[in-house]
Structure formats: structure tokens, C-alpha cells
Amino acid sequence: MKKTLLATAIAGALGASAAAQAATVYNQDGTQLDIYGNIQIAYKNIKNERGNWEDEVFDNGSTIGFSGQHIINPGLTGYFKAEFEHQADEEKSNGGLDDGDQAYLGLKGNFGDARLGSWDPLIDDWIQDPISNNEYFDLTDSSTDLGGLYGGSLADGVDVDREGDKFQYMSPVWGGLQFAIGTQYKGDAEEEFGADHGVTGVSSQGSNASFFGGAKYSIGNFSLAAVYDDLDNYGLHAKDSETGESLEYEAKAYGLGAQYVIGTLRLAAKVEDTDATYAGDDGDIMRYALGARYGYALSDNFAGDVYGAYQYVDADSEVAPIVDNGGDEDSFNEWTVGATYNISPAMYTYVEYAQYDRTEDEGDGVSFGAVYSF
């Protein structure tokens, strides 16, 4: 799952999938506290790297969240949000609330919105989500490339943290124009940033603050957004686990997206570029994508969403191993389709199919499940 709470909020604005509910447990003297969440249980059947089908019943991101705000004065409000995940399909064997999602605090008012903590990258919210904010399957993007650059076997013991340790300022909307700037600060005590804790092949770079920013312009039903992220915290020196070769990985992310909403139909397009360095060679991983989502309501008892997305990935040969489609192809196609059906304002079901044009059809598959939001 990418972000069902956000997906249903978007769909709710379009009159489609059930919007998340929230219970206000305290609201007095300008202070409010809400509790919300969802239970998501699903089934998936996906081809592995050998082309064999593998299936399971799984938790698709069940979440419990807390949010609150306090009116400091008529033009200034303090707020927070904290979300925690659990494994609803195997609750007794997975330790209850065992993972975190978004968590941040901030101030908002006439000046805009200033936030500190952990949440989704700006390029995700403004560029990628309008294309394919699905329930389970997703298209690849610059965040996927980071996993290929710095995760698992390529940089032993190093995890990529795109969401944490961030500060962001987002402006008010002035005549349809809005901008956001921010930074992710990683100190040299951070293990994922190369602290000297015995991580094989990773050298500490010292403390560093990255930069990301973007601008969005809306006029009527049309909006256009552009985002840049220098990903400066992830210039790592690591060893290839298979060859032992010392490799340097760096990347920058650029995105341009457009969307048009008319009634319950949303059309979106994007161009995304991961400007990468792989083993000393520079190259670009270009992605061109189209997405659509339509909220249907055939009757009072039959409503939901239908949606789909297509993406063409074109990687320079120097950096093609990063996208790792399982073969020698530098360019390939990806697409996903899906549909939801609203059982009630708080509950819906879905089915999705995805195809990624990889060797042995790895990653292709189907998923269906149910979501109850509260």
C-alpha cells in the first residue's frame, strides 16, 4: 500500500471511495484531539524472480493515528500527527503496534505552514501520487531507485530514510501559486548516514543538510507542479556484495506533474528524472507516466473508483542496473489497473493488477482486499 488514508481522502473529494473517519475525543478552549485509523487485510499473488507464483494473505498497512491542534491566537495554530502500524492479519505474532508511519509537529497560520518530523517526500505528494496512489501496486519512481542504489546487498546494513529528520515550510496559496522548501538533516551519529558502527563499506560523510523544494500553480480545474530534491544525504561509498568492488552512488530527483479534475474524473501526467551516478558513470533514468481515476456512482448502493496508470521507463545504459528489470533492457513499460467498491461510508473493497515488463514477469500480479476506516 502506498498511502490509503491520503488515497481515500482524494477519492472522497471526488465522491468515490470511502473517506477515513475520525473521532474527536477532546475539543475545548481551542484544543482538539482526534483518533483515527484503519484495518486493511488483503490477498496477493505475485510472480517471483523465477516466474513462479507466490501468494499470501497479508496486512496492507493497518494504522492507528492521533492528531491534534491548539489555537495559539487567531492567526496561529500549533498541530501534530502521529501514526503507528500493526499487522492485522497475524496480530498475536507480530507484537501489536510494531512500526511507525508519519509523525510531525508544526505551526500554521496566515504565514503558511512550518513542519518538523517525518512524512512523505514532497516529490511523492505533488508528482507521484496523482499518477498512482493505489492500494497495493505502484509504479516505480525515484524513491524506488534509491532502494536500488543504497539498500540491501549494495550497501550492507544501510537503510534509506527518505521521510525522517525533515523541516519544511509551505507557503499560503497566492493567486493560485504555492511553493515549498525544506531540508533533511542527517548527523554523523546516524547509522544510515554512515556512522562508524561497523557497517561494511560505508564511510561517514559528517553531518549534512539536504535541500528539496517545489512550486505548484492551480487555475480552475488544472494544476501544474515542479519538484527538485538533491538527495544529498545519500552520496554513499559502498561495496558491491557480490564483486567486492568499491562503488559510489549518488542521485538527484526532478519531477514535473500536471493534473486536471472535472467532476469525479482526475487525469494526471508526469515526467520524472533520477539523475544518477553509478560506479563513476553519470546517466538519467527518465519516466513518463499517465494516470486516471474516475469515481462512479451508478446508484445509492453501487459506488467506488476505477483507476489505471501507465509508465514508460527509459534509462541511460550507464545507470540501467539501478532500475534492475532483470535483464539487459534499458527501456520498458509498467502499468497498473484497479477498482474499488464502497460497502459503506467507512468500508470498501478493491482489486488491482500490475505488470512491470521484467524478466520472468517478476513482480506482475493481482491483489484484492478490504479496508475499514474509523
Side-chain angles (χ1 to χ4, degrees), residues 220-238:
N221 296 332
F222 177 79
S223 64
L224 182 68
V227 175
Y228 166 74
D229 193 331
D230 68 11
L231 303 174
D232 199 35
N233 285 328
Y234 301 105
L236 298 179
H237 298 274

Side-chain angles (χ1 to χ4, degrees), residues 4-13 15-22 37 342 344-348 372-374:
T4 293
L5 286 180
L6 177 58
T8 54
I10 293 172
S17 293
Q21 310 296 307
N342 295 345
S344 74
M347 188 174 187
Y348 67 94
Y372 185 95
S373 299
F374 57 89

Side-chain angles (χ1 to χ4, degrees), residues 15-156:
S17 293
Q21 310 296 307
T24 299
V25 298
Y26 182 85
N27 190 357
Q28 188 174 344
D29 299 326
T31 298
Q32 179 175 324
L33 175 64
D34 294 334
I35 298 178
Y36 63 92
N38 57 68
I39 298 292
Q40 305 182 53
I41 298 179
Y43 169 85
K44 62 182 178 182
N45 195 11
I46 299 174
K47 286 192 175 182
N48 62 22
E49 67 275 7
R50 298 179 301 277
N52 298 324
W53 290 98
E54 294 181 337
D55 72 331
E56 67 171 323
V57 174
F58 69 105
D59 180 274
N60 196 31
S62 297
T63 302
I64 184 168
F66 305 87
S67 64
Q69 64 176 20
H70 174 67
I71 300 174
I72 300 171
N73 61 51
L76 184 64
T77 298
Y79 66 92
F80 84 93
K81 176 178 283 190
E83 295 181 350
F84 306 93
E85 295 185 346
H86 55 102
Q87 302 295 318
D89 66 315
E90 298 176 344
E91 193 71 24
K92 286 193 175 292
S93 61
N94 279 286
L97 297 176
D98 61 355
D99 198 5
D101 197 352
Q102 302 185 76
Y104 52 84
L105 57 84
L107 292 169
K108 59 184 178 181
N110 298 330
F111 71 95
D113 187 319
R115 178 185 297 182
L116 179 66
S118 301
W119 62 91
D120 299 310
L122 185 66
I123 196 169
D124 190 359
D125 288 341
W126 283 11
I127 306 299
Q128 299 162 5
D129 281 350
I131 300 292
S132 62
N133 197 329
N134 300 339
E135 301 299 324
Y136 177 73
F137 289 107
D138 195 12
L139 302 177
T140 63
D141 51 41
S142 58
S143 294
T144 311
D145 295 337
L146 278 181
L149 283 169
Y150 313 117
S153 64
L154 288 176
D156 297 337

Side-chain angles (χ1 to χ4, degrees), residues 209-225:
S210 70
F211 171 82
F212 61 87
K216 181 164 58 174
Y217 179 72
S218 300
I219 180 170
N221 296 332
F222 177 79
S223 64
L224 182 68

